[in-house]
Amino acid sequence: MKNRKKFAVVGAGIGGLSVAIALQRRGFDVTVVENAPAIKTLGAGLVLAANAIKAFTTIGISNDVLQSGKALKALRIKDPQGNVIHETDSEKLSEKLGLANTFAIHRADLHAVLMARLSPGTVQLNKGCVDYWHRGSATVLEFHDGSSLCADYVIACDGIHSALRKKLLPHSHPRYSGYTCWRAVVEIDPGIVNMEETTETWGKGKRFGIVPLAGNRVYWFACANSPPGDPRMQQMTVAGLQAMFSDFHEPVRNILSRTADSDLIWSDILDIRPIGRFAFGNIVLLGDAAHATTPNMGQGACMAIEDAAVLANCLQQYEPEHAFSAFEKKRIARTTAIVNQSRRIGQVAQLENSLLIGLRNLAMKNTPRRFIEKQANFIAGVTLD
C-alpha cells in the first residue's frame, strides 16, 4: 500500500531533502517541490551535533555526510580579550556518545550529499507553493507559476515563512530575536586559526563566531543587537564590521580582512513561538516550518534532520495520517524545549549591561563539567523510533 500513495515534500532544504531520502529508502513515492529556480545554497556553514549524526545514521547516509565535513575537537566561548570563559571538550564527548558531537560542514557540501542520494527527477524546481486545497482525500498544491500538483500526503518543509503553516495557523508568525547577523565563508592560511576548535567571542551586545571547515576554509558569523529590519545593518560593509569588532581579539580582524563585501550574507535572527500542533490530517509540518529556532544551540538543521528520521520511522509503523499524529506527539515537547532554550541563550549572549556580563562570564567559567555533559546527553539522547 505504501508504494501507491504519493507524498509531496514542499521545500528542498536540509529537512525536505533528508525526509525525501528517508522515505524513498523505505519505498515511498516522493516528489520534492522547491521554490528556487536552481539549487543554490548560501555560502555558510553548519555545525551538526551528535543528534543529527544519529539521525543521518538512522536514515542511512551518515558515512556520506561525515566524509564531506570536519569533526572539531573543542567548542570555546571567549571574552573580547581572548580569555576562555567556557569550554566543551567535543572530542571527549564524541567518544562517550559514540557519535561525532561537533561536526562542521559547508551548507553547499551537505546539500550536494543529500541531492546525490535522491532518485533522479525527485526534485522539481521553480515550484513555489502559494496555496493548497483539498480534492477528496488528496491535496492539490498550487504554485506561483500557475501549475499544480496533487498528492495523497503533504510534508511542509518550506521554512520559517512557510506558506502552508500560514494558512493552517494564521496567527503563527516569525518573531524577532533582538539581534541581526552577518555570515561568510573565507579561505584561510594555516596557522591563523586553530582548525581544531570552534569559538564564539561574546562582547557587549555583539559576538563573533569562527567555525573551521574542510579545505582550509572558515565559516564566520557576527551578531549585533539592532532594531528589526534596520537598513544600516542590511547595508553593512566589511569595513563597518571591522570597526564594530575592532576591540575583539585576533583572528577576528584577520578573518574580516579576508572577506569581501560581496561575500556578506545578512539576515535578522528570527524564530517562531512554539506551536502546539504539527499534524493536520494529510498535511504535516517539519523543520523550520514547524519549529524554527534561533541558531544559538546550533540545532536548527539538527532538529529538521531528527524530524526526517522520526517521521520516516513513524510511517513504517502506521498509516500516514496516524503516522503524522504520532510524529507530532513525539516531537512537540522536544522541539519546544530547544526553541525556548536557544532563545534564552541568545538573550544571555547578547547582554549589554556590563555588570550582568561580568556575572554571566563568572558563572560560565564555573559551570560544572557534569552540567555540560548533561546538556550533551539531552541533545544526543533523542529517541528516533
Side-chain angles (χ1 to χ4, degrees):
M1 181 174 179
K2 292 177 181 176
N3 292 327
R4 294 200 301 270
K5 296 294 184 180
K6 185 175 183 61
F7 286 76
V9 175
V10 181
I14 292 170
L17 296 181
S18 296
V19 75
I21 293 167
L23 295 189
Q24 282 189 346
R25 289 185 166 223
R26 288 159 175 78
F28 292 92
D29 180 2
V30 182
T31 297
V32 179
V33 290
E34 165 59 32
N35 178 48
I39 298 294
K40 293 182 179 179
T41 54
L42 297 176
L46 292 168
V47 177
L48 301 180
N51 57 318
I53 305 304
K54 184 176 182 179
F56 274 140
T57 300
T58 296
I59 293 170
I61 59 170
S62 59
N63 289 339
D64 300 319
V65 174
L66 291 171
Q67 290 171 9
S68 299
K70 180 181 180 65
L72 300 173
K73 294 182 178 180
L75 164 63
R76 295 186 173 95
I77 298 175
K78 303 180 180 183
D79 66 17
Q81 292 72 47
N83 303 306
V84 176
I85 58 176
H86 184 78
E87 182 173 7
T88 300
D89 188 332
S90 300
E91 187 174 41
K92 186 172 290 185
L93 280 175
S94 296
E95 292 174 358
K96 288 186 176 181
L97 297 170
L99 294 161
N101 189 56
T102 305
F103 179 79
I105 187 168
H106 196 294
R107 187 179 289 269
D109 294 340
L110 179 56
H111 259 84
V113 169
L114 298 177
M115 287 292 291
R117 297 305 173 272
L118 286 170
S119 301
T122 298
V123 179
Q124 296 183 11
L125 300 173
N126 202 29
K127 297 294 180 184
C129 183
V130 295
D131 200 359
Y132 75 87
W133 51 277
H134 294 295
R135 178 190 292 165
S137 62
T139 294
V140 178
L141 301 174
E142 295 187 352
F143 305 119
H144 69 281
D145 64 357
S147 64
S148 62
L149 175 72
C150 185
D152 296 294
Y153 302 100
V154 175
I155 305 173
C157 306
D158 49 341
I160 189 170
H161 300 289
S162 169
L164 279 82
R165 188 190 72 248
K166 288 178 182 178
K167 184 167 182 176
L168 292 163
L169 298 170
H171 299 297
S172 176
H173 305 288
R175 59 178 179 175
Y176 184 49
S177 66
Y179 45 95
T180 197
C181 186
W182 302 266
R183 307 172 178 86
V185 173
V186 297
E187 299 283 338
I188 203 76
D189 294 332
I192 291 176
V193 171
N194 181 347
M195 298 297 283
E196 302 298 326
E197 68 172 17
T198 179
T199 65
E200 283 191 31
T201 299
W202 291 8
K204 193 172 185 178
K206 60 187 178 182
R207 55 188 152 139
F208 196 96
I210 302 171
V211 181
L213 301 172
N216 291 326
R217 296 174 297 171
V218 164
Y219 160 58
W220 66 260
F221 62 89
C223 297
N225 291 349
S226 167
D230 190 330
R232 297 171 303 163
M233 301 302 175
Q234 186 173 2
Q235 297 161 16
M236 183 68 69
T237 62
V238 170
L241 289 173
Q242 287 174 318
M244 183 182 293
F245 291 93
S246 61
D247 58 332
F248 275 32
H249 61 84
E250 288 291 7
V252 171
R253 294 184 298 278
N254 194 312
I255 288 173
L256 285 172
S257 72
R258 295 166 185 270
T259 307
D261 287 341
S262 58
D263 295 330
L264 293 178
I265 300 166
W266 169 84
S267 64
D268 281 341
I269 297 299
L270 309 171
D271 67 1
I272 59 172
R273 189 180 304 278
I275 59 180
R277 189 176 178 190
F278 295 166
F280 301 82
N282 67 337
I283 301 175
V284 67
L285 305 177
L286 184 147
D288 282 356
H291 45 71
T293 182
T294 57
N296 302 295
M297 296 175 68
Q299 281 295 306
C302 296
M303 288 289 106
I305 298 162
E306 276 189 12
D307 282 352
V310 172
L311 182 57
N313 285 340
C314 286
L315 284 164
Q316 278 195 307
Q317 300 174 51
Y318 310 105
E319 288 299 307
E321 290 190 20
H322 292 107
F324 288 177
S325 296
F327 167 82
E328 176 185 280
K329 291 176 182 177
K330 290 174 181 287
R331 300 300 292 160
I332 289 283
R334 179 171 172 83
T335 57
T336 295
I338 294 294
V339 170
N340 289 338
Q341 185 174 352
S342 184
R343 192 171 181 88
R344 287 193 294 268
I345 290 172
Q347 292 168 342
V348 171
Q350 296 292 137
L351 286 172
E352 295 185 3
N353 182 282
S354 297
L355 176 60
L356 293 178
I357 289 172
L359 293 172
R360 175 198 70 192
N361 292 359
L362 181 63
M364 291 178 68
K365 285 180 182 179
N366 292 288
T367 301
R369 188 172 299 277
R370 65 179 182 276
F371 177 79
I372 298 172
E373 293 185 0
K374 182 179 179 181
Q375 289 293 99
N377 287 331
F378 166 70
I379 295 297
V382 58
T383 301
L384 300 173
D385 54 17

